[in-house]
């Protein structure tokens, strides 16, 4: 397998990143970086860590000469997952407080609760921002722990960008992937599975409306909706397909939430290198004026309408002759 | 009547569904079967995920539709938590 870290770390270029993935040799992972400048999103890091975990540290290496900007890979903990020693030697690492959460593995619900508590002071979040980020991490990690069947758990990383006042975060697992996770809905392709996963009220555990006592099929729809209402990017990659929700520009009208993710302004990629797991990445602007409770109102309305519409479709009509 | 102090069992941010499930099975459903009042006190809880609230109350909404609306109370829930509880109440009723 080969991963290329370019100088385009923004989530809007996620399609370029996944198009260049090469998973031909599944027993070995080689990481190549741009020679002059490396700029990665947490999404790139957690996917790399998940694959390195799968093939083993002894079979994972960074094979190119890395530029000085690759020091960031060291700070985020990537060198802990590969056999290549860090070329940056020992140096005084910056205090992570207020900047980033390095690649972290969460294996159970108590680990999740601990991570959520520790994360907020690391990112120096205000109350409203903390609610949003805690919500996203809480739902995404739980999804992995419950549905991914990934022995290596959930792999998480986050970064705060001061110049744009934005938090980028990503979570990845090397589990069964969306297609297998949603097989009761009979998705034909990985792209179908992504569409189902982002549709409100669709759960991998039941086809019953309202879900089971444990699951309602709302988690990923909520996260995508939070990204949309705060005018940010959102990406998901599983199997041979990826979906990137495009950012709604500030000069565009108030974002309207859609129950069908493919009706959103998005980029869909298919025929990619097959990843047997799931990667979810999201950016959250802390400048946003949207209050969390307003977001919940919008999300709740679309969710309810989606269930209503599906139920109406199920009603049998009388036969008038 | 029983009162459950959510901060003591679920912490500052209610996201652990194992805890929600435990409360549902061991406290909420037995109380509703006896037609007892149940109060969830969210004092000191800053937020909750939809998954947590769903795991806590959806089964009661489905299994005890005649009693749950009169017997279950949410105290000191902030606006975010109130919104999430309302979403779960609404979509569960819509789906039944």
């Amino acid at each position: 397998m080969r991963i290329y870290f370019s100088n385009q770390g923004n989530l809007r270029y996620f399609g370029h990143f996944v198009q260049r993935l090469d998973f031909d040799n599944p027993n070995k992972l080689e990481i190549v970086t741009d020679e002059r400048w490396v700029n990665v999103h947490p999404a790139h890091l957690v996917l790399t860590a998940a694959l390195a975990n799968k093939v083993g540290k002894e079979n994972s290496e960074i094979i190119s000469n890395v530029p000085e900007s690759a020091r960031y890979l060291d700070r985020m903990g990537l060198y802990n997952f590969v056999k290549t020693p860090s070329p940056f030697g020992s140096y005084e690492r910056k205090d992570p407080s207020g900047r980033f959460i390095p690649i972290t593995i969460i294996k159970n619900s108590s680990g999740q609760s601990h991570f959520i508590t520790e994360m907020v002071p690391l990112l120096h979040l205000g109350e409203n921002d903390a609610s949003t980020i805690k919500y996203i991490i809480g739902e995404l990690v739980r999804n992995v722990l419950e549905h991914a069947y990934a022995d290596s758990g959930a792999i998480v990383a986050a970064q705060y960008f001061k110049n744009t006042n934005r938090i980028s975060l990503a979570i990845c697992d090397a589990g069964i992937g969306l297609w297998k996770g949603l097989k009761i809905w009979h998705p034909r392709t990985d792209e179908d599975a992504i569409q189902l996963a982002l549709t409100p009220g669709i759960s991998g555990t039941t086809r019953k409306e309202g879900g089971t006592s444990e699951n309602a099929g709302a988690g990923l729809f909520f996260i995508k909706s939070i990204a949309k209402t705060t005018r940010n990017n959102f990406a998901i990659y599983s199997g041979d397909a990826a979906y990137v929700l495009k950012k709604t520009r500030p000069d565009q009208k108030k974002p309207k939430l859609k129950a069908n993710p493919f009706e959103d302004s998005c980029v869909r990629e298919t025929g990619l290198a097959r990843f047997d797991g799931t990667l979810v990445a999201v950016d959250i602007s802390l400048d946003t004026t949207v209050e969390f409770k307003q977001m919940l109102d919008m999300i709740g309305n679309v969710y309810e309408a989606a269930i209503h519409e599906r139920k109406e479709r199920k009603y049998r009509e009388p036969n008038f002759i | 009547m029983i009162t459950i102090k959510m901060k003591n069992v679920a912490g500052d941010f209610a996201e652990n569904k194992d805890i929600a499930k435990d409360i549902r099975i061991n406290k909420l459903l037995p109380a509703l079967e006896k037609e007892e009042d149940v109060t969830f006190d969210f004092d000191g809880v800053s937020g909750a995920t939809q998954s947590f609230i769903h795991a806590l109350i959806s089964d009661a909404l489905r299994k005890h539709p005649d009693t749950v609306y009169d017997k279950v109370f949410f105290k000191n829930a902030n606006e975010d938590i109130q919104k999430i509880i309302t979403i779960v109440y609404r979509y569960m009723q819509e789906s039944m």
Side-chain angles (χ1 to χ4, degrees):
Chain A
M1 297 186 283
R2 183 172 282 212
I3 289 182
Y4 178 66
F5 288 160
S6 73
N7 54 16
Q8 294 182 323
N10 195 298
L11 203 53
R12 71 172 177 270
Y13 303 122
F14 186 72
H16 300 179
F17 170 72
V18 287
Q19 280 166 14
R20 295 188 73 157
L21 294 170
D22 174 358
F23 292 169
D24 277 352
N25 181 350
N27 302 315
K28 191 175 162 189
L29 175 65
E30 294 177 338
I31 301 153
V32 183
T33 70
D34 187 276
E35 284 178 9
R36 286 166 300 172
W37 190 260
V38 176
N39 182 8
V40 293
H41 189 278
H44 307 158
L45 296 172
V46 293
L47 177 68
T48 308
L51 294 173
N53 248 347
K54 204 170 179 180
V55 299
K57 184 172 180 172
E58 66 283 5
N59 297 313
S60 307
E61 59 182 324
I62 298 175
I63 59 168
S64 58
N65 288 324
V66 295
E68 177 59 26
S69 52
R71 189 180 289 271
Y72 179 70
L73 306 180
D74 190 15
R75 286 201 189 109
M76 292 298 279
L78 189 68
Y79 281 93
N80 298 330
F81 292 83
V82 295
K83 68 178 178 185
T84 317
S86 167
F88 302 107
S90 71
Y91 60 94
E92 196 169 332
R93 285 171 168 78
K94 287 183 186 172
D95 177 2
S97 182
R99 290 173 176 269
F100 61 89
I101 294 170
I103 302 167
T104 305
I105 297 177
I106 301 170
K107 290 201 166 181
N108 51 45
S109 55
S110 59
Q112 173 187 352
S113 300
H114 179 73
F115 179 81
I116 288 174
T117 309
E118 295 290 304
M119 168 188 87
V120 172
L122 276 180
L123 294 171
H124 282 201
L125 298 168
E127 198 178 326
N128 190 53
D129 301 325
S131 294
T132 312
I133 304 294
K134 283 196 274 193
Y135 190 96
I136 292 171
I137 293 281
E139 292 288 35
L140 290 180
V141 174
R142 191 71 204 190
N143 261 357
V144 173
L145 299 180
E146 276 187 13
H147 306 300
Y149 299 96
D151 293 338
S152 51
I155 302 176
V156 188
Q159 172 72 53
Y160 171 68
F161 295 95
K162 194 176 178 184
N163 57 342
T164 49
N165 197 23
R166 184 188 83 218
I167 286 178
S168 293
L169 64 91
I171 178 164
C172 188
D173 68 77
I176 60 171
L178 293 176
W179 189 85
K180 279 189 186 162
L182 289 160
K183 66 184 174 195
I184 59 167
W185 293 91
H186 309 298
R188 285 173 300 121
T189 61
D190 291 309
E191 190 184 38
D192 281 353
I194 287 178
Q195 184 179 24
L196 286 165
L198 296 174
T199 301
I202 301 286
S203 163
T205 54
T206 181
R207 291 183 65 119
K208 191 166 65 175
E209 292 295 352
T212 64
S213 56
E214 311 281 321
N215 288 287
L220 284 171
F221 168 71
F222 268 59
I223 311 299
K224 187 204 71 156
S225 300
I226 290 170
K228 180 135 191 199
T229 49
T230 57
R231 299 171 186 267
N232 280 290
N233 293 300
F234 165 92
I236 186 163
Y237 171 38
S238 185
D240 74 353
Y243 169 97
V244 183
L245 175 76
K246 284 191 189 168
K247 187 172 174 167
T248 310
R249 293 198 316 269
D251 57 330
Q252 288 175 309
K253 283 193 297 191
K254 187 177 164 186
K256 196 174 171 199
L257 299 182
K258 305 274 174 63
N260 179 354
F262 290 176
E263 288 177 9
D264 286 314
S265 176
C266 63
V267 176
R268 288 148 59 185
E269 305 275 354
T270 54
L272 301 169
R274 171 164 293 282
F275 171 52
D276 295 328
T278 307
L279 166 66
V280 179
V282 62
D283 290 341
I284 299 295
S285 293
L286 304 185
D287 286 335
T288 178
T289 54
V290 183
E291 291 284 328
F292 191 60
K293 54 181 179 284
Q294 288 173 278
M295 267 189 259
L296 291 173
D297 272 338
M298 293 162 74
I299 294 167
N301 289 338
V302 176
Y303 190 99
E304 196 183 313
I307 291 179
H308 185 75
E309 192 189 321
R310 268 201 304 275
K311 273 194 74 180
E312 280 199 325
R313 262 190 258 142
K314 282 184 190 166
Y315 293 152
R316 299 288 300 272
E317 296 295 329
N319 294 317
F320 298 112
I321 54 171
Chain B
M1 184 183 101
I2 60 167
T3 299
I4 299 161
K5 297 265 185 196
M6 298 305 285
K7 172 96 190 270
N8 295 348
V9 286
D12 158 71
F13 188 77
E15 42 72 34
N16 189 331
K17 282 169 72 178
D18 297 339
I19 291 168
K21 182 181 177 182
D22 185 57
I23 299 169
R24 180 186 81 227
I25 291 171
N26 295 312
K27 301 223 165 106
L28 176 60
L29 294 176
L32 289 175
E33 271 152 31
K34 289 185 265 177
E35 300 200 2
E36 273 187 277
D37 287 358
V38 179
T39 300
F40 294 108
D41 186 347
F42 282 88
D43 187 30
V45 180
S46 65
T49 61
Q50 170 270 332
S51 298
F52 179 91
I53 298 296
H54 181 91
L56 184 70
I57 59 173
S58 67
D59 219 19
L61 293 164
R62 207 192 303 268
K63 287 180 176 163
H64 297 279
D66 297 332
T67 48
V68 67
Y69 302 105
D70 298 326
K71 295 287 180 187
V72 176
F73 303 91
F74 302 94
K75 190 176 170 188
N76 295 317
N78 67 24
E79 275 189 277
D80 290 351
I81 298 172
Q82 284 186 25
K83 295 272 180 206
I84 290 169
I85 293 168
T86 306
I87 288 172
V88 175
Y89 262 59
R90 283 169 58 182
Y91 74 64
M92 285 308 296
Q93 289 176 77
E94 184 62 52
S95 66
M96 285 190 284

